[in-house]
Structures are given as structure tokens and as C-alpha cells.
Amino acid sequence: MKAMICEGYGSGDDLVLSDVAKPELKTDADCVVRILASTVNDWDWMLVRGKPRLYRLLFGLLRPRWKILGAEIVGVIESVGASVTEFNHGDVVYGDVSEAGFGGYAEYACLPVASLRRVPDQLDVELAAALPHAAGLAWQSLVDVARLEQGESVLINGVGGGMGVLGAQIAQHHFGCTVTGVDKAFKLEALHWLGRADALDYERVDFTGTGQRYDVIIDAQTTRTPWRLLKALKPGGRYVSVGGAPGRLVALALIGPVIGRLTRRRFHLLALKPNQGLDEVETLVLAKEIEPRIDKRFALSDLPLALQRFGRSEHIGKIVILPK
Ligand SMILES: NC(=O)c1ccc[n+]([C@@H]2O[C@H](COP(=O)([O-])OP(=O)(O)OC[C@H]3O[C@@H](n4cnc5c(N)ncnc54)[C@H](OP(=O)(O)O)[C@@H]3O)[C@@H](O)[C@H]2O)c1
């Protein structure tokens, strides 16, 4: 089969489309899946470059532990292990496979059944590919961690990314919240459903300096200290850091709880549990309450171009990779 092989940390340009052996079932709880689509996520970009360097301690000192990256997939079941009762040959499945050894940037992958869910017939394959990772980030940060309530005010920093596009719609349409989205101007303009008054271009406006305060802040980048963030959080407000530079995340983990106790706010870091919340988000997509946004489609052989687009942060929503 064809696969994009990552032999070492680099820029992504050095990924090579290679012929490798088609994967076989490794355990009774595995499925072999023919990949229909995958996407580009921050995990993939981080593993391709080995940056931030600190993460090499976890994911491989000299090269990523996994040669075939690709953190989420949609595909067709080819074969199942003896103990798999959930799926049969021909079922279309999807999932965030970042804790299952990755493997989306290939024609086939062997994946544990626990990392997969059935794709409903009504759900388009490419939209399905765009859901699992971002849906988990958005649902878990808003619902499981921030415990969002109907009608609250929400700010999403990084609203133009995979998590932000879904999170803003979940808050707006499912929880009836007023949502302020923060990102670059060209991304905000593309998100027509985000009202003009509620879109902040972070190159011109600092959301902690407007005087406006929110019940919930979901932050894809964590570029501010908790002290600074207090200026934008209402009493009782919850801040959830979804991602950011390791130093900022460590600082938040150490001082966030203390500042929170002193100021009646809560500071949280999200630890993603792959595919948790996917069922709920899938229901909202099928009900047309929310809509994933596909940025661009690339062939598997053009993965380096897709990674460059992601790395330059030109994407709005999700970049989809198609093996054919
Ligand atoms: N907590 C966990 O367990 C976990 C697991 C997986 C991933 N993550 C993290 O989840 C985060 C969100 O993922 P995603 O898929 O939505 O990422 P994404 O698609 O890269 O979106 C991030 C968005 O943030 C914008 N941005 C960058 N700098 C900004 C700033 N200073 N202020 C406001 N917006 C800014 C980016 O646009 P511009 O760069 O053009 O501004 C982009 O639109 C990532 O940081 C990722 O590492 C966390």
C-alpha cells in the first residue's frame, strides 16, 4: 500500500510517499481499515517537526515513535479481529486515533476497535473526517470542563481553527450563548455566522483589554497569564486552556488554581480523551445545528503542501487528506 513515511523530524517537505506492507490484524481487538480520508491536526504538525522540542521526551528523541502519522480517520472496515463484535466488513467508521498509534496518512491502517465509531449513513465522509479530534476538543472543553450553561457569554480564542469552528457553533446554537470569536481578520470574515460585533481580530484588539467579561473562555493558544485573563472573566467564570506553548501550560497548571481560589474564577487545562463527546457532536451535525468547515482537500501525495498550509496557519476549519 501507499503511505507517507516520516523517518525523522523536519519541515514536512521530507515526507516520502512509499510502498509499504499492508497492515495486518495485530490483536483480536483490532480492525484493518481502508482509509477514505484523514486530516491535518496540530498533533501531526508537532510530530512532523518535533516541536516544541520538549515533547520529544515523550514522542521520540530523534524521530517520532510513529512512522505513519495522521491523528484522525474515516475509513471502511476491511477485516476485524476475533473479539470484535461492533463492526463488520464494509462498515464505514471514524475516529480520533491519536492514542491508537496514528496511521491516517496511508491507504490502510490497523486500529483498535475502541478508537473507532460507526459513521451514520447521512454523514458525508469528508465531513466525518473533520469531526473526531475537533469535536472532542470543543465538546470536552465547553461541556465536560467548563460546564457551559444555557445563555452564558463565551469567548473562543482561535475560533478559526478546527476546535474553534465547532466550539463556537455548539455554544451559539446548542446552548443559546452569545459567542465572541478571536482570530485573524480573514478567518473571522469567512465565518459568516459569527456576528461582526462578536468577532475580534487579535492583531488589532486584545480581548483582555476591552473591558468586556465572559462567563467562559476557551483558549486554543494560551498566550496570556492568569492575571491578565482575570480582566476578561466574570466572577464565577471558567477559563479552559485547550493548547499552547508548554511553558505557559505549566505556569497555568501551577498558579491557575491558586489565583482561581483567590478570585472566584476557575482555570483549567484540557486533557483530551479521544472521541469523548463525538456522539453528541455527531447528533448536532446530523440535526444541522452545527456544520464542520472543510478548508481544503489534498491528495495523500501532496501531504507536505497540506502541512505547509497548516504550519502557516492559512487554514480555516479542517484540511482533509484523501488517499486517492
Ligand atoms: N489539550 C489537549 O489534550 C490537546 C490535544 C490535542 C490538541 N490540542 C491543542 O488544541 C488546540 C486547538 O486545536 P485546533 O485543531 O483548533 O488548532 P488549529 O486548527 O491550529 O487552530 C488554532 C487557531 O488559533 C489561531 N491563533 C493562533 N495564534 C493566536 C492568537 N495569539 N490569538 C488568537 N488566535 C490565534 C490560529 O490562527 P492564526 O495562527 O492564523 O492566528 C488558528 O486559527 C491546539 O493548540 C492543539 O495543540 C490540545
Side-chain angles (χ1 to χ4, degrees), residues 42-43 157 161-163 183 187 202 220-221 242 270 272 313 315:
D42 204 40
W43 276 135
N157 195 35
M163 179 282 295
D183 215 308
K187 299 195 179 192
Y202 74 83
Q221 298 296 336
V242 176
L270 176 73
L272 181 70
S313 210
H315 65 290

Side-chain angles (χ1 to χ4, degrees), residues 79-302:
S79 57
V80 297
S83 67
V84 175
T85 53
E86 293 86 340
F87 306 125
N88 293 307
H89 175 86
D91 287 345
V92 182
V93 294
Y94 66 155
D96 177 335
V97 297
S98 58
E99 282 187 10
F102 292 77
Y105 299 150
E107 289 180 313
Y108 295 87
C110 173
L111 296 163
V113 63
S115 66
L116 301 171
R117 306 280 183 279
R118 194 186 301 270
V119 176
D121 292 341
Q122 314 91 298
L123 187 56
D124 171 80
V125 159
E126 292 177 13
L127 289 186
L131 273 186
H133 193 72
L137 291 170
W139 188 266
Q140 289 170 42
S141 56
L142 283 167
V143 181
D144 299 341
V145 180
R147 307 228 168 260
L148 185 63
E149 290 180 13
Q150 289 288 334
E152 288 193 305
S153 54
V154 178
L155 178 136
I156 300 197
N157 195 35
V159 73
M163 179 282 295
V165 166
L166 289 183
Q169 294 180 80
I170 292 169
Q172 249 183 4
H173 303 312
H174 191 58
F175 285 93
C177 295
T178 50
V179 175
T180 301
V182 184
D183 215 308
K184 281 198 182 124
F186 81 94
K187 299 195 179 192
L188 298 170
E189 276 159 26
L191 305 178
H192 305 294
W193 38 263
L194 199 67
R196 256 178 203 290
D198 301 322
L200 297 182
D201 171 2
Y202 74 83
E203 293 183 304
R204 294 182 48 231
V205 182
D206 175 353
F207 73 81
T208 58
T210 61
Q212 196 68 38
R213 289 175 190 257
Y214 305 89
D215 294 302
V216 170
I217 296 176
I218 306 294
D219 196 345
Q221 298 296 336
T222 314
T223 47
R224 294 169 177 85
T225 62
W227 290 117
R228 185 77 205 168
L229 289 161
L230 285 176
K231 293 179 185 295
L233 266 183
K234 288 183 185 175
R238 291 86 76 204
Y239 170 88
V240 185
S241 161
V242 176
R248 284 269 185 221
L249 301 184
V250 171
L252 183 70
L254 292 176
I255 57 173
V258 181
I259 297 177
R261 259 196 297 280
L262 294 173
T263 60
R264 287 203 304 119
R265 273 85 166 168
R266 293 251 167 98
F267 291 90
H268 303 274
L269 281 128
L270 176 73
L272 181 70
K273 298 176 191 74
N275 299 312
Q276 186 170 301
L278 179 56
D279 292 346
E280 289 84 347
V281 175
E282 177 194 282
T283 304
L284 301 183
V285 173
L286 291 178
K288 303 211 181 304
E289 272 192 57
I290 66 170
E291 197 180 3
R293 188 180 197 284
I294 305 281
D295 173 69
K296 259 189 120 175
R297 296 155 183 84
F298 288 84
L300 180 60
S301 53
D302 287 333

Side-chain angles (χ1 to χ4, degrees), residues 27-46:
T27 76
D28 283 354
D30 285 341
C31 305
V32 171
V33 177
R34 177 165 58 83
I35 309 282
L36 298 173
S38 57
T39 64
V40 178
N41 283 295
D42 204 40
W43 276 135
D44 305 305
W45 180 232
M46 189 260 290

